[in-house]
Amino acid sequence: MASNTCHPDEFSQEKANQDRTASLENACEVDFATPGLSNDVFGQEDDHDIKYKTLPWQFTAVLMITEIISNGMLSLPSSLDAVGIVPGVIVIAFLGAFATFTAWLQIEFKLRHPEVHNMGDAGYILFGPIGREILGAGTIMFAVCATGSQILAGQLALTVLSDGKLCTLAFAGVFSIAVAVCSFPRTLNNLSRLSLAGGISIITAGIVAVVGAGASPIDAGNIVIARASDFTSAFFSITNPVFAYAGHWMFFILISEMKHPQDAMKAAWTLQIVATSLYIVFAIVTYWYVGKGVASPSFLSLSPLWSKISFGLAIPNLVIAGSLNIHTAAKLVFVRLFRRSRHIHSHTFAGWSVWTLLILLGNVVAFIFAVGIPIFNYLVGIAASLFAAWYTYGLSGAFWLHDTYHFKGGYHGGFKRRIMFIASVLTVLAGGFICVGGLYATVYSLREASEAGELLPPFQC
């Protein structure tokens, strides 16, 4: 792993590392001009027109909730049906705790490396230039796929609300335009105002859906306590709760615009408590009242009236979550192009032109992917397995191992901290297991769907 850290913190203050710290500081004088290695992403902003570091931790939590809870919650009841309610709830709770741990590892890494703006920058520190390109490209790819997934969810919601009276392709187009419009604010603090409505939207929709399931039960009580199934089916179902927590890919970007980055863990705790509590309650109650065969998204299993109400309430969240995904992907490219230039902080023609182009391009690609690729849902699963498994889980352990090695005395420093060393190694291995298992299950399911003729043609009305 390549080390290009230019700001040793308390880690480097230990007596055993004074020589290494001095060498790193000397190296910083050479490498400081390299993109990705500045001391802070946006620097001093007092005299700038556009100020990025204005996001309070409360709105950071709202942004996290809006992006993560969205589609993840609606697929969890079907996961309980696939593996059984007991193992399903255990997995959801465990992954919530695990995601909190990996969030802490990432936040600590970001605080030690304020020059890191995204996973690409983190990849540069760990693996050098190749790591930056791979992890940066993966972030953009995953963001576009996630936005496409939101577009399809919005298309479905509008179709349900209209009783299918219009072409679904038109609904996807309308929804994409709404996502694009909401993506334009240059700062996350401005976007967070919209996200507040999005967070309230999905939480309200979940509560109403639970009430609707209880008011009009389908097959109440007909549930599975634990279900035996083959590895592929079980793992494919488990990927729903795994990726229901897959929002860590944008944490670095969010923290970079926080007013007080040291408060980031408060936002992460708020996210995980809200998400895990809502996931468990929603999944259990919905599954109990709907029974076996609950659909994904679960709103489709409700009575027509309650389904329409729930989908209608969820639409603001679907729009804002999609716009947040594209915004962060565009911000990654924008900062990469203009870091340390006046186009970042000033209302220049070049800056706004490039920003507009990035937003429009991201939304157009997401729309084309969503409605023009018959295997898009499987493509989302592949992207999640390849990248989200590492961004949310595996790389977090690598971050701790990297900084402990370089600032705590090499391998000896890691072995001295046995619990954290073992936990970090297991985290890396967990990321690899989720990646490989998710890829296998997704590709296997894609092959089965193709052989059964279940793949729809592109641009279907």
Side-chain angles (χ1 to χ4, degrees), residues 302-343:
L302 303 176
S303 66
L305 175 61
W306 287 105
S307 180
K308 289 182 178 180
I309 295 174
S310 300
F311 270 120
L313 290 170
I315 285 178
N317 172 265
L318 301 177
V319 172
I320 303 304
S323 65
L324 179 58
N325 290 328
I326 287 298
H327 176 100
T328 49
K331 184 68 69 65
L332 184 156
V333 178
F334 189 76
V335 170
R336 177 76 181 272
L337 291 174
F338 294 128
R339 192 187 291 234
R340 282 189 227 90
S341 77
R342 63 190 181 93
H343 303 297

Side-chain angles (χ1 to χ4, degrees), residues 76 79-95 223-229 234 237-238 241-242 280 283-284 287:
L76 293 179
S79 294
L80 297 191
D81 186 41
V83 300
I85 190 170
V86 172
V89 170
I90 292 174
V91 168
I92 294 172
F94 170 77
L95 290 173
I223 63 172
V224 177
I225 301 300
R227 187 193 299 274
S229 59
S237 299
I238 289 300
V242 166
I280 292 176
I284 291 176
Y287 182 39

